[in-house]
Amino acid sequence: MFRLNLKIALRNLWRNRGITSINVGGLAIALAAFILVILYFTYETSFDKTNPNYNNIYVVGRIEPDFKTNYTSPPFAKAIKQHLPEVENAGITKRGFFEFSMKNGKNTLFAKNFMQADYNAAKILDLKPTGGLEKPPGNVERLSYLSKENMRALFPDKTDNKPEIVGMGASNSGITSKINGSITNNLHSNITFDGISIGNEIGKGENYGYNNYTTYIQVKPGTDVANLEQKITDLYRKELLKGETDQKTIAEIKGVSTFLDPLANLHLRPKAGNDAPYKILIALSILGILILVIACINFTNLSIAQATKRAKEVGIKKVMGAYRFQLTAQFLVEIFIQCFVATILGLTLAELSLPYFNNLFQVNLSIWTTENDLCWQLPLILCVITLIAGTYPALVLSGFKPALVLKGNFSTSKQSSWLRNGLLVFQFSIAVIFIIGLFIINSQLKYMRSEDLGFTANQVVYIKNISMFNKPETFAPVRDKILKIPGIKSATVATDIPDGAEGGANGYTFEGVKSSLDFIDVDFDYFETLDIKLKEGRFFSKSFPADTTNGAVVNESTVAKYGMKNPVGKTIRGCNIDYKIVGVVKDFKAQGFESAVKPTIYSIKNPCGNYKTQIMVKIEGNKMSSALAALKAQWLQINPKDGEDFRYEFLDDLYGKLFKKQEQLQSVFFGAALLTIFIAVLGLFAFAKYITNGRIKEIAVRKILGASDIQIFSLINSSFFIMVLIANVISWPLAYVITKRWLETFAYRIDLPILPFISSALITILLTVITVSIQARKAVKANPVDALKYE
């Protein structure tokens, strides 16, 4: 019996190979997209899961009145471990703040991310040097390791794990460092590095004012995290209040709190950070599911539309004694065969599309590995889509009544007709949402690329550097040498460049009001190099020696935050210095478009600031190549510490990376819109063929009675036109809510336009008319005699 049913199934599929190809092809394309989404979702949600203490590790962060941050001070981890028994271990790490070179003969490595960690943090984060994690002995302050990849780059012929000596910085610097071995750098982790130094203790001598470390804690299983969070806040306030007598400061400390952020959150949605990756992942997952649902709907619709061709078969089998559940199982097997073929094709398409997908999302995914769980996910998906796409058609096909179908009544029920139409409307509703979303994403990205940033990144080159120029007199000779090169208009140095990276923050008091401000430590010509606009007052100038000791420039957001009136010449106090405000600059979007411009203070001297290492040079466009070549040739004389290691990036390229996530979303929506439209049109094409074939006699009669081709085209298109119009009306409110919510994630955004909604309606209606008309043309042009000669 099974062989007979299988033979019948294969014959039917072959006889209707056009519809079968559309069914299988549409499902295969949707499955390919869904497989890629599954791979990416699994990858993004499994960061750090190899850590055996994954569920019990938290980052301790601070909540100040104006901001939230993961950065804390070195003594805090020790205090937490000492006073809170729920905490099994506590440690700290610190990121490197500049790129430096390491040398072994002719082999050079540029370490962009050299991290420090104490021994406790290394244990918590499951860091694994080759040979095992060991505590630095008493006479050794730290043990340094390079990632295995970097160790191979510096020592390609190394076969043991013995320590090595490497040169640091320029070849003539004479500075060396001991590398104790290699360490696994887990790229599928939030804690990645080029190298790491592990010490018994880091941050010695630094108090609670040095908030530039990350504190990790490992709690005991079953700990009440909310209760522990409150205990840590109480402990933090207690530590800050030690020896404090000023009532105003005491009141401010009581307004500070802490939070615990699980290790599981850090990659996608950190409490103190940007959750755009999480939103992109959710959007991508929903798109993948919707595309698969649309394909299943397509499959269901076409299977129901083909039901009349199987009516006699069902009637005869029932007369011969077949039960309904047997027929249902038979049709489900047929559908399973199609879904199985679609899955194989989907895997093939996914494999072909994977290089482009990896390049778009900057990942290295692979289908043919046991780590991605596809080995059990795909069979499950196959069974699920078989049930979703096949259950209702199988019930419809097996439900024909023998007495009626054998008399020639092959029509399906009105409920089936309503279902087909409803599913078609649903398909086009989703397609319309994707089209509208794509238009609005394009509009926002166009706005971001064309809107005035408030500064000019073009023709500005960021030079990587390890020298520290905290005093203007140390950078002055470097600037003078740089400016002698033809084509270079200006040069400056600062603690930060406008590339979206977060700067430091500190408390500043203006006229009795204390608030937190971002601070950036700069040198002369900083504003001129970036072409930042002056609103009032002046920039820093060598003509005013006091600028190097207590001069400050603030931005418009700072003026608004304090409610300053005529701020130029007034005093603002921070880091035990009374700064005199010499100028106000217009706000500029250093953080991109998602975050509002932060109140910021710029100064040349800042005892609480960071090191000024970021060199920026503005070069004339037509002399860019020659100026860069001259800088490279003369860099050893210009900046001896860097020596021959001249490295640079264009500032506009760095700033452009802020748009990366939105460009990914744009690509995803473009692909999703094309896929949904393609699948919907495939279904519409086959559905229109079925409807048209069912009305051939009606069309013939109408032609005999004098109906024109235009009238018949209009008649056939009218029902589909109404369905697509209904789909637009249903989808517009949903699209409006979704796109409005997305736009609200930007501090600077376009107003929601009406044109995408109109365009989506025109596109879907035009596609529908063309698709249906192509199918209707054959019936319209047919000779009425051929359709009616047997009547």
Side-chain angles (χ1 to χ4, degrees), residues 206-223:
E206 297 183 19
N207 57 31
Y208 280 90
Y210 291 85
N211 291 304
N212 51 2
Y213 292 79
T214 305
T215 301
Y216 293 92
I217 63 170
Q218 179 185 330
V219 303
K220 294 178 180 177
T223 297

Side-chain angles (χ1 to χ4, degrees), residues 465-527:
N465 156 66
I466 64 171
S467 301
M468 301 171 192
F469 300 110
N470 277 28
K471 295 180 179 180
E473 55 268 27
T474 59
F475 185 65
V478 174
R479 176 192 283 110
D480 293 341
K481 291 174 185 175
I482 291 174
L483 292 178
K484 287 178 182 177
I485 295 174
I488 295 182
K489 298 162 71 174
S490 64
T492 190
V493 67
T495 55
D496 297 277
I497 60 174
D499 63 348
E502 291 188 14
N506 213 334
Y508 289 84
T509 304
F510 178 79
E511 294 182 349
V513 178
K514 186 175 182 180
S515 189
S516 178
L517 297 179
D518 278 23
F519 61 81
I520 296 178
D521 307 334
V522 302
D523 207 293
F524 297 113
D525 297 333
Y526 174 82
F527 301 105

Side-chain angles (χ1 to χ4, degrees), residues 307-608:
T308 55
K309 293 185 178 182
R310 308 292 296 275
K312 279 187 178 180
E313 176 194 337
V314 172
I316 291 169
K317 282 188 174 182
K318 281 193 172 183
V319 169
M320 297 296 291
Y323 292 103
R324 185 173 184 180
F325 78 87
Q326 291 174 316
L327 294 169
T328 302
Q330 176 198 334
F331 292 128
L332 279 175
V333 168
E334 290 183 24
I335 290 165
F336 177 83
I337 291 170
Q338 294 178 72
C339 292
F340 180 77
V341 173
T343 303
I344 301 302
L345 288 175
L347 269 172
T348 306
L349 290 173
E351 178 67 24
L352 293 173
S353 306
L354 199 55
Y356 172 77
F357 188 87
N358 283 339
N359 182 58
L360 175 63
F361 288 95
Q362 298 297 298
V363 291
N364 188 27
L365 304 179
S366 175
I367 292 176
W368 310 109
T369 61
T370 55
E371 297 174 359
N372 57 31
D373 296 330
L374 274 180
C375 54
W376 65 265
Q377 288 172 342
L378 269 184
L380 179 63
I381 292 165
L382 176 59
C383 294
V384 169
I385 61 174
T386 300
L387 291 173
I388 292 174
T391 300
Y392 189 79
L395 291 174
V396 170
L397 287 164
S398 63
F400 282 116
K401 295 178 181 179
L404 293 176
V405 297
L406 294 177
K407 287 180 182 178
N409 183 2
F410 304 146
S411 63
T412 52
S413 65
K414 289 183 178 179
Q415 287 83 355
S416 294
S417 175
W418 276 103
L419 179 66
R420 287 197 307 269
N421 295 342
L423 292 178
L424 194 63
V425 167
F426 180 80
Q427 276 184 307
F428 272 93
S429 296
I430 301 301
V432 168
I433 290 172
F434 286 162
I435 293 169
I436 293 170
L438 178 62
F439 278 127
I440 290 175
I441 291 170
N442 286 344
S443 298
Q444 175 65 16
L445 276 172
K446 184 178 179 181
Y447 165 78
M448 289 162 64
R449 293 189 186 107
S450 60
E451 179 68 5
D452 180 22
L453 302 176
F455 74 100
T456 302
N458 293 338
Q459 299 173 13
V460 176
V461 174
Y462 156 56
I463 301 175
K464 298 178 180 181
N465 156 66
I466 64 171
S467 301
M468 301 171 192
F469 300 110
N470 277 28
K471 295 180 179 180
E473 55 268 27
T474 59
F475 185 65
V478 174
R479 176 192 283 110
D480 293 341
K481 291 174 185 175
I482 291 174
L483 292 178
K484 287 178 182 177
I485 295 174
I488 295 182
K489 298 162 71 174
S490 64
T492 190
V493 67
T495 55
D496 297 277
I497 60 174
D499 63 348
E502 291 188 14
N506 213 334
Y508 289 84
T509 304
F510 178 79
E511 294 182 349
V513 178
K514 186 175 182 180
S515 189
S516 178
L517 297 179
D518 278 23
F519 61 81
I520 296 178
D521 307 334
V522 302
D523 207 293
F524 297 113
D525 297 333
Y526 174 82
F527 301 105
E528 294 87 338
T529 300
L530 293 173
D531 195 24
I532 295 168
K533 305 298 184 292
L534 182 68
K535 186 177 182 183
E536 55 182 297
R538 59 176 177 83
F539 295 138
F540 296 123
S541 171
K542 297 172 189 174
S543 303
F544 297 88
D547 285 358
T548 61
T549 55
N550 69 338
V553 173
V554 297
N555 64 356
E556 291 175 302
S557 294
T558 301
V559 172
K561 185 168 190 173
Y562 287 101
M564 296 177 176
K565 294 181 180 178
N566 302 317
V568 176
K570 293 186 177 178
T571 299
I572 184 169
R573 183 172 178 79
C575 203
N576 298 319
I577 292 179
D578 288 326
Y579 289 101
K580 181 182 178 183
I581 298 173
V582 301
V584 177
V585 294
K586 292 187 176 181
D587 285 344
F588 61 97
K589 301 177 181 69
Q591 304 292 329
F593 285 74
E594 293 180 21
S595 304
V597 174
K598 295 181 179 179
T600 307
I601 184 170
Y602 305 87
S603 61
I604 292 177
K605 181 181 180 181
N606 182 6
C608 301

